[in-house]
Amino acid sequence: LVSRLDLPTSGVLPLARSRGAELLRAQFTAGLVEKEYWCLCSGKAAVSSGTISKPLLVRHSSFNSLYAEVSDAGREARSDYQVAEVYEDEKSF
């Protein structure tokens, strides 16, 4: 297991089976890994690109899982976004 990538939001688990896994783990720990996400959204975006910068606090739910919420007590998180493509309807993609 290299990292528990964004556990409170997505829970992706990157795995590696080589000596390079330790190097990759160190890069995650040092904050050197740049993450990129793609998503499909319904409706039209008000603007085609921007930045969301809010402090996120990780909390435990009643089901013993983690989630993140916006809170002044949290760590600063930044997401830059850009609309890559616009589809006229859901049948287009």
Side-chain angles (χ1 to χ4, degrees), residues 43-86:
K44 296 209 178 213
V47 294
S48 62
S49 64
T51 298
I52 301 169
S53 183
K54 299 280 184 182
L56 294 179
L57 181 64
V58 176
R59 296 210 182 252
H60 293 272
S61 75
S62 58
F63 299 107
N64 202 25
S65 62
L66 300 174
Y67 68 97
E69 68 181 17
V70 175
S71 169
D72 289 336
R75 287 181 39 201
E76 191 61 30
R78 175 186 164 143
S79 294
D80 299 313
Y81 68 91
Q82 179 176 342
V83 174
E85 191 165 347
V86 175

Side-chain angles (χ1 to χ4, degrees), residues 39-46 85-90 93:
C39 73
L40 292 173
C41 300
S42 178
K44 296 209 178 213
E85 191 165 347
V86 175
Y87 301 98
E88 293 305 316
D89 57 54
E90 64 276 359
F93 58 88

